[in-house]
Amino acid sequence: MYPVQCVLQVQRTVRWGPLASVSWLLLRTCRAHSSHPSAACPGPERQKNGEQKDFSSRLATGPTFQHFLRNTSAPQEKPSLPELEDPPPYLTVEELLGRQRKVYLETYGCQMNVNDTEIAWSILQKSGYLRTSNLQEADVVLLVTCSIREKAEQTIWNRLHQLKALKTKRPRSRVPLRVGILGCMAERLKEEILNREKIVDLLAGPDAYRDLPRLLAVAESGQQAANVLLSLDETYADVMPVQTSPSATSAFVSIMRGCDNMCSYCIVPFTRGRERSRPVASILEEVRKLSDQGLKEVTLLGQNVNSFRDNSEVQFNNAASTNLSRGFSANYKSKQGGLRFSHLLDQVSRIDPEMRIRFTSPHPKDFPDEVLQLIRERDNICKQIHLPAQSGSSRVLAAMRRGYSREAYLELVHHIRDIIPGVSLSSDFIAGFCGETEEDHLQTVSLLRDVQYNVGFLFAYSMRQKTRAYHRLKDDVPEEVKLRRLEELINVFREEASKTNKTFVGCTQLVLVEGLSKRSSTELCGRNDGNLKVVFPDVEMEDVTNPELTGRAQPGDYVLVKITSASSQTLRGHGLCRTTLKDSSAHR
Ligand code: 5AD
Ligand code: SF4
């Protein structure tokens, strides 16, 4: 066995008082197990071995339990650069700096992971790392991973096999390639990854990205390093994500992290931890900056965006109870006070009337009327709601612990459509959950037909360890049945969506232009208010705010498009004129 230094870390937070979370922080050495051919090699590596010895002796006098406690007592106050001025005793400031090493980041999974990649990069950039989009050029490869389904994890294991070849073939003249696993898979599998794939040098869970410079410094010296601590209050509020595409018209703004819902099939509460919201003021500041940069669309992002609750300001922590959607219940004790989603949405939508506001992903239980009314009233809040149903059978919904029945869900759909006529609805569904019968499946088919969603995300059930379903239920729907049901759901969804989308033919839609269509360089592509893709010819057109100004629409322009045809996923039409959001709403 190689020496392993494990520190059982008790994380206490100032704000939350009592014992907050317990997890492992691992620092381990892997002398004999280094997969790099230079583990016992001459030349520059001798120097490396010297460094390693030096490191080992420093490690011996290194971090104490007190040190870790001190470093984690108030995560909100941990700034990124001052950390470098106060390195842990076993690392120097120089070792914490990137030394111009090139980092290649690869993102898997959901939009939260895209945002996490930007956060991780923002932290590394401040530490002196450079970014590369060329894998061959990289000194560090970081995979931001997803654990939601078995298939997502298998993709990462396959990728690690490819990286192993890259790592072992690396010329000795170059610094050894370091490979890191970030995000949900690091959190779920912890040291199993280090043991199974010897090429992995570091692990960082979703709440440990501030620790990346230290983890990389440890990895640089040939040690494996891991931080998979979950936090009760890490929201990266002060880390401005670095936008990867400077010409983008829209951005995602993270407003909360984690999930307390504990749906019985879902791994997310275990990999991303408890729900916590970012302070309203820091969200508004980020949106203002994005507006100043000329961005035209912001999507508020979180595992449960509409459960948002900013408790950071004491004066708002009253005892006001939480309004849930009618007929819905939560799996946790009712929470009270704080600034809620309707307040945030109101404030964000006031920043720039020309900026579209969207949000994802919400839970159907948190749609009180004040949120729905606000969506109806504000021209720049898109009339688009993701309403993940997961199943159309009340029996399966109960087994999933979703907190609503089919009837309550349908009532909510009707209520939303009454308040926001023409609203675009989308949903997630899981085919073949534990105990799902053919009758249950047909109930889901009929829900798809009843609601007529515009967009759908459909998945075959994948049993995840740790979840309630794993402990209490049986994954008893055979794989081929799951896949057959999934295919049926996809076909029904497509049929219904193309019917629904055909109702747009002959109508005029306000489209925010994103750029040239991927399929044709003579067409532009953008999205309507309901987030449907709209394609139209790239020709000169008038600008309604200045009729003398004819020209081609650019990314970030609003264009009125007359729809001429529709499929289940795309609308097509021709541009009438360039306009503004305000102008087009005035003529609605
Ligand atoms: N198997 C299949 N799909 C899942 N989802 C979450 N957990 C699982 C699982 N174990 C789906 C849900 C969720 C979406 C993000 O992923 O539909 O809304
Ligand atoms: Fe998973 Fe349910 Fe939380 Fe969504 S609401 S992240 S499905 S536990």
PDB file of all heavy atoms in Angstrom, residues 148 259-263 265-269 303-304 363 390 402, ligand 2:
ATOM      1  N   ILE A 148     -25.358  11.709 -13.736  1.00  0.00           N
ATOM      2  CA  ILE A 148     -26.808  11.551 -13.641  1.00  0.00           C
ATOM      3  C   ILE A 148     -27.290  10.183 -14.127  1.00  0.00           C
ATOM      4  O   ILE A 148     -28.198   9.611 -13.543  1.00  0.00           O
ATOM      5  CB  ILE A 148     -27.546  12.717 -14.341  1.00  0.00           C
ATOM      6  CG1 ILE A 148     -28.991  12.782 -13.879  1.00  0.00           C
ATOM      7  CG2 ILE A 148     -27.501  12.645 -15.846  1.00  0.00           C
ATOM      8  CD1 ILE A 148     -29.388  14.052 -13.262  1.00  0.00           C
ATOM      9  N   CYS A 259     -29.604  20.658  -4.336  1.00  0.00           N
ATOM     10  CA  CYS A 259     -31.015  20.298  -4.392  1.00  0.00           C
ATOM     11  C   CYS A 259     -31.416  19.562  -3.112  1.00  0.00           C
ATOM     12  O   CYS A 259     -30.697  18.680  -2.652  1.00  0.00           O
ATOM     13  CB  CYS A 259     -31.250  19.391  -5.601  1.00  0.00           C
ATOM     14  SG  CYS A 259     -32.948  18.837  -5.697  1.00  0.00           S
ATOM     15  N   ASP A 260     -32.558  19.982  -2.543  1.00  0.00           N
ATOM     16  CA  ASP A 260     -33.053  19.337  -1.318  1.00  0.00           C
ATOM     17  C   ASP A 260     -34.231  18.412  -1.603  1.00  0.00           C
ATOM     18  O   ASP A 260     -34.855  17.899  -0.679  1.00  0.00           O
ATOM     19  CB  ASP A 260     -33.520  20.410  -0.314  1.00  0.00           C
ATOM     20  CG  ASP A 260     -32.352  21.111   0.348  1.00  0.00           C
ATOM     21  OD1 ASP A 260     -31.210  20.663   0.153  1.00  0.00           O
ATOM     22  OD2 ASP A 260     -32.589  22.110   1.065  1.00  0.00           O
ATOM     23  N   ASN A 261     -34.587  18.231  -2.879  1.00  0.00           N
ATOM     24  CA  ASN A 261     -35.839  17.524  -3.164  1.00  0.00           C
ATOM     25  C   ASN A 261     -35.777  16.020  -2.972  1.00  0.00           C
ATOM     26  O   ASN A 261     -36.771  15.396  -2.655  1.00  0.00           O
ATOM     27  CB  ASN A 261     -36.295  17.825  -4.593  1.00  0.00           C
ATOM     28  CG  ASN A 261     -36.867  19.211  -4.679  1.00  0.00           C
ATOM     29  OD1 ASN A 261     -37.483  19.685  -3.725  1.00  0.00           O
ATOM     30  ND2 ASN A 261     -36.647  19.878  -5.780  1.00  0.00           N
ATOM     31  N   MET A 262     -34.618  15.446  -3.199  1.00  0.00           N
ATOM     32  CA  MET A 262     -34.466  14.006  -2.962  1.00  0.00           C
ATOM     33  C   MET A 262     -35.496  13.170  -3.728  1.00  0.00           C
ATOM     34  O   MET A 262     -36.127  12.281  -3.143  1.00  0.00           O
ATOM     35  CB  MET A 262     -34.568  13.691  -1.464  1.00  0.00           C
ATOM     36  CG  MET A 262     -33.421  14.215  -0.668  1.00  0.00           C
ATOM     37  SD  MET A 262     -32.021  13.126  -0.946  1.00  0.00           S
ATOM     38  CE  MET A 262     -30.808  13.882   0.093  1.00  0.00           C
ATOM     39  N   CYS A 263     -35.669  13.464  -4.998  1.00  0.00           N
ATOM     40  CA  CYS A 263     -36.488  12.567  -5.822  1.00  0.00           C
ATOM     41  C   CYS A 263     -35.799  11.198  -5.746  1.00  0.00           C
ATOM     42  O   CYS A 263     -34.559  11.129  -5.741  1.00  0.00           O
ATOM     43  CB  CYS A 263     -36.520  13.066  -7.264  1.00  0.00           C
ATOM     44  SG  CYS A 263     -37.215  14.717  -7.389  1.00  0.00           S
ATOM     45  N   TYR A 265     -35.041   8.772  -7.603  1.00  0.00           N
ATOM     46  CA  TYR A 265     -34.156   8.248  -8.649  1.00  0.00           C
ATOM     47  C   TYR A 265     -32.873   9.045  -8.801  1.00  0.00           C
ATOM     48  O   TYR A 265     -31.980   8.652  -9.552  1.00  0.00           O
ATOM     49  CB  TYR A 265     -34.892   8.272 -10.007  1.00  0.00           C
ATOM     50  CG  TYR A 265     -35.490   9.629 -10.315  1.00  0.00           C
ATOM     51  CD1 TYR A 265     -34.715  10.643 -10.843  1.00  0.00           C
ATOM     52  CD2 TYR A 265     -36.827   9.903 -10.012  1.00  0.00           C
ATOM     53  CE1 TYR A 265     -35.242  11.897 -11.064  1.00  0.00           C
ATOM     54  CE2 TYR A 265     -37.363  11.150 -10.242  1.00  0.00           C
ATOM     55  CZ  TYR A 265     -36.566  12.146 -10.767  1.00  0.00           C
ATOM     56  OH  TYR A 265     -37.090  13.391 -10.974  1.00  0.00           O
ATOM     57  N   CYS A 266     -32.767  10.191  -8.129  1.00  0.00           N
ATOM     58  CA  CYS A 266     -31.783  11.190  -8.551  1.00  0.00           C
ATOM     59  C   CYS A 266     -30.533  11.257  -7.669  1.00  0.00           C
ATOM     60  O   CYS A 266     -30.613  11.320  -6.440  1.00  0.00           O
ATOM     61  CB  CYS A 266     -32.463  12.553  -8.610  1.00  0.00           C
ATOM     62  SG  CYS A 266     -31.417  13.795  -9.345  1.00  0.00           S
ATOM     63  N   ILE A 267     -29.394  11.317  -8.307  1.00  0.00           N
ATOM     64  CA  ILE A 267     -28.099  11.351  -7.615  1.00  0.00           C
ATOM     65  C   ILE A 267     -27.687  12.780  -7.245  1.00  0.00           C
ATOM     66  O   ILE A 267     -26.823  12.999  -6.391  1.00  0.00           O
ATOM     67  CB  ILE A 267     -27.008  10.679  -8.507  1.00  0.00           C
ATOM     68  CG1 ILE A 267     -25.684  10.441  -7.763  1.00  0.00           C
ATOM     69  CG2 ILE A 267     -26.747  11.474  -9.776  1.00  0.00           C
ATOM     70  CD1 ILE A 267     -25.727   9.387  -6.723  1.00  0.00           C
ATOM     71  N   VAL A 268     -28.344  13.768  -7.887  1.00  0.00           N
ATOM     72  CA  VAL A 268     -27.898  15.162  -7.745  1.00  0.00           C
ATOM     73  C   VAL A 268     -27.760  15.639  -6.286  1.00  0.00           C
ATOM     74  O   VAL A 268     -26.749  16.232  -5.925  1.00  0.00           O
ATOM     75  CB  VAL A 268     -28.811  16.113  -8.565  1.00  0.00           C
ATOM     76  CG1 VAL A 268     -28.582  17.569  -8.208  1.00  0.00           C
ATOM     77  CG2 VAL A 268     -28.553  15.897 -10.049  1.00  0.00           C
ATOM     78  N   PRO A 269     -28.738  15.367  -5.399  1.00  0.00           N
ATOM     79  CA  PRO A 269     -28.563  15.844  -4.026  1.00  0.00           C
ATOM     80  C   PRO A 269     -27.305  15.275  -3.365  1.00  0.00           C
ATOM     81  O   PRO A 269     -26.749  15.889  -2.452  1.00  0.00           O
ATOM     82  CB  PRO A 269     -29.821  15.340  -3.308  1.00  0.00           C
ATOM     83  CG  PRO A 269     -30.827  15.180  -4.399  1.00  0.00           C
ATOM     84  CD  PRO A 269     -30.049  14.737  -5.598  1.00  0.00           C
ATOM     85  N   GLN A 303     -30.115  24.083  -9.989  1.00  0.00           N
ATOM     86  CA  GLN A 303     -30.779  22.767  -9.990  1.00  0.00           C
ATOM     87  C   GLN A 303     -32.275  22.918  -9.737  1.00  0.00           C
ATOM     88  O   GLN A 303     -33.075  22.117 -10.171  1.00  0.00           O
ATOM     89  CB  GLN A 303     -30.184  21.900  -8.880  1.00  0.00           C
ATOM     90  CG  GLN A 303     -29.459  20.696  -9.393  1.00  0.00           C
ATOM     91  CD  GLN A 303     -28.071  21.065  -9.821  1.00  0.00           C
ATOM     92  OE1 GLN A 303     -27.393  21.781  -9.103  1.00  0.00           O
ATOM     93  NE2 GLN A 303     -27.664  20.604 -10.980  1.00  0.00           N
ATOM     94  N   ASN A 304     -32.618  23.949  -8.999  1.00  0.00           N
ATOM     95  CA  ASN A 304     -34.007  24.243  -8.644  1.00  0.00           C
ATOM     96  C   ASN A 304     -34.200  25.740  -8.597  1.00  0.00           C
ATOM     97  O   ASN A 304     -34.452  26.293  -7.536  1.00  0.00           O
ATOM     98  CB  ASN A 304     -34.268  23.710  -7.232  1.00  0.00           C
ATOM     99  CG  ASN A 304     -34.832  22.334  -7.285  1.00  0.00           C
ATOM    100  OD1 ASN A 304     -35.937  22.136  -7.756  1.00  0.00           O
ATOM    101  ND2 ASN A 304     -34.070  21.389  -6.802  1.00  0.00           N
ATOM    102  N   HIS A 363     -38.586  23.465 -10.486  1.00  0.00           N
ATOM    103  CA  HIS A 363     -39.395  22.328 -10.033  1.00  0.00           C
ATOM    104  C   HIS A 363     -40.853  22.796 -10.064  1.00  0.00           C
ATOM    105  O   HIS A 363     -41.154  23.919  -9.636  1.00  0.00           O
ATOM    106  CB  HIS A 363     -38.991  21.931  -8.613  1.00  0.00           C
ATOM    107  CG  HIS A 363     -39.596  20.632  -8.175  1.00  0.00           C
ATOM    108  ND1 HIS A 363     -40.929  20.512  -7.859  1.00  0.00           N
ATOM    109  CD2 HIS A 363     -39.061  19.401  -8.014  1.00  0.00           C
ATOM    110  CE1 HIS A 363     -41.183  19.245  -7.525  1.00  0.00           C
ATOM    111  NE2 HIS A 363     -40.060  18.557  -7.607  1.00  0.00           N
ATOM    112  N   GLN A 390     -41.666  14.101 -15.374  1.00  0.00           N
ATOM    113  CA  GLN A 390     -40.994  12.809 -15.124  1.00  0.00           C
ATOM    114  C   GLN A 390     -41.862  11.593 -15.432  1.00  0.00           C
ATOM    115  O   GLN A 390     -41.391  10.608 -15.942  1.00  0.00           O
ATOM    116  CB  GLN A 390     -40.427  12.692 -13.690  1.00  0.00           C
ATOM    117  CG  GLN A 390     -39.621  13.889 -13.209  1.00  0.00           C
ATOM    118  CD  GLN A 390     -38.345  14.166 -13.989  1.00  0.00           C
ATOM    119  OE1 GLN A 390     -38.023  13.460 -14.929  1.00  0.00           O
ATOM    120  NE2 GLN A 390     -37.651  15.239 -13.639  1.00  0.00           N
ATOM    121  N   ARG A 402     -42.077  12.734  -6.112  1.00  0.00           N
ATOM    122  CA  ARG A 402     -42.075  14.034  -6.769  1.00  0.00           C
ATOM    123  C   ARG A 402     -42.954  15.062  -6.057  1.00  0.00           C
ATOM    124  O   ARG A 402     -42.910  16.247  -6.347  1.00  0.00           O
ATOM    125  CB  ARG A 402     -42.563  13.867  -8.219  1.00  0.00           C
ATOM    126  CG  ARG A 402     -41.564  13.193  -9.114  1.00  0.00           C
ATOM    127  CD  ARG A 402     -40.358  14.064  -9.395  1.00  0.00           C
ATOM    128  NE  ARG A 402     -40.657  15.219 -10.236  1.00  0.00           N
ATOM    129  CZ  ARG A 402     -39.774  16.180 -10.496  1.00  0.00           C
ATOM    130  NH1 ARG A 402     -38.572  16.155  -9.963  1.00  0.00           N
ATOM    131  NH2 ARG A 402     -40.097  17.195 -11.278  1.00  0.00           N
TER     132      ARG A 402
HETATM  133 FE1  SF4 B   2     -32.787  15.550  -9.062  1.00  0.00          FE
HETATM  134 FE2  SF4 B   2     -35.328  15.903  -8.293  1.00  0.00          FE
HETATM  135 FE3  SF4 B   2     -33.391  17.607  -7.480  1.00  0.00          FE
HETATM  136 FE4  SF4 B   2     -34.174  17.619 -10.049  1.00  0.00          FE
HETATM  137  S1  SF4 B   2     -35.466  18.137  -8.290  1.00  0.00           S
HETATM  138  S2  SF4 B   2     -32.051  17.664  -9.269  1.00  0.00           S
HETATM  139  S3  SF4 B   2     -34.615  15.468 -10.393  1.00  0.00           S
HETATM  140  S4  SF4 B   2     -33.570  15.449  -6.937  1.00  0.00           S
END
